[in-house]
Amino acid sequence: MKKIIPILIAILICFGVGCTASYFQSEAILNWYPTLDKPSLTPPDMAFPIAWSLIYLCMGISIGLIWHMWTIRRQMIIRLFGFQLLFNFTWSIFFFYLRSPLLGFANILVLDVLVVYYMIESYPVKKSSAYLFVPYLLWLILATYLNGYILMYN
């Protein structure tokens, strides 16, 4: 039970960040985003909440597995997780709320680096924590492409 509580708390934090971010992007998703020129690889609208639910679940499990461990790298990995979660949140603010593909693109490039860095740092401590970030990284690669395309063609 001691190992499950940090995982549940981390999952709730991730979903809380996602729900808060969705509050800031909802108006732009209805009125601004549909008017943008998007690439043919853009997933259907219904894919986004499904993908993010899976990603937030995996993210929470990933950091929850490390949270209860007592290693020298634990604090650094937790801080790194917090930074990437902050950049995850601020991307929605920059891209949707401020309607700035440029700020969103700069933000998502930093987020990409932070996610890869988290994976590299967590791998020696708990391999499964690094692997749980693979769906997130794959989605971010697609999101970076979409953001870059929107920046260039709008």
Side-chain angles (χ1 to χ4, degrees), residues 25-124:
Q25 64 192 31
S26 60
E27 194 274 325
I29 286 176
L30 292 174
N31 300 318
W32 175 68
Y33 186 72
T35 67
L36 298 175
D37 181 20
K38 294 179 280 300
S40 59
L41 290 178
T42 303
D45 292 342
M46 66 184 275
F48 289 88
I50 295 167
W52 278 112
S53 294
L54 174 66
I55 290 165
Y56 285 134
L57 178 65
C58 290
M59 286 170 63
I61 295 169
S62 174
I63 195 63
L65 291 171
I66 289 176
W67 191 338
H68 74 276
M69 298 180 77
W70 298 105
T71 73
I72 197 160
R73 295 177 129 181
R74 176 181 170 265
Q75 289 294 53
M76 189 272 296
I77 293 170
I78 290 172
R79 277 193 293 273
L80 186 54
F81 181 87
F83 283 129
Q84 70 77 29
L85 195 58
L86 175 66
F87 275 82
N88 176 297
F89 175 78
T90 55
W91 180 85
S92 293
I93 302 295
F94 292 143
F95 186 85
F96 285 111
Y97 187 74
L98 298 177
R99 298 179 184 194
S100 175
L102 178 60
L103 290 175
F105 193 67
N107 182 281
I108 205 167
L109 290 175
V110 173
L111 180 56
D112 293 342
V113 170
L114 289 171
V115 166
V116 170
Y117 188 40
Y118 173 87
M119 293 174 74
I120 290 167
E121 290 298 320
S122 64
Y123 186 82

Side-chain angles (χ1 to χ4, degrees), residues 36-38 148-154:
L36 298 175
D37 181 20
K38 294 179 280 300
Y149 184 97
I150 288 168
L151 176 61
M152 288 178 55
Y153 293 102
N154 290 277

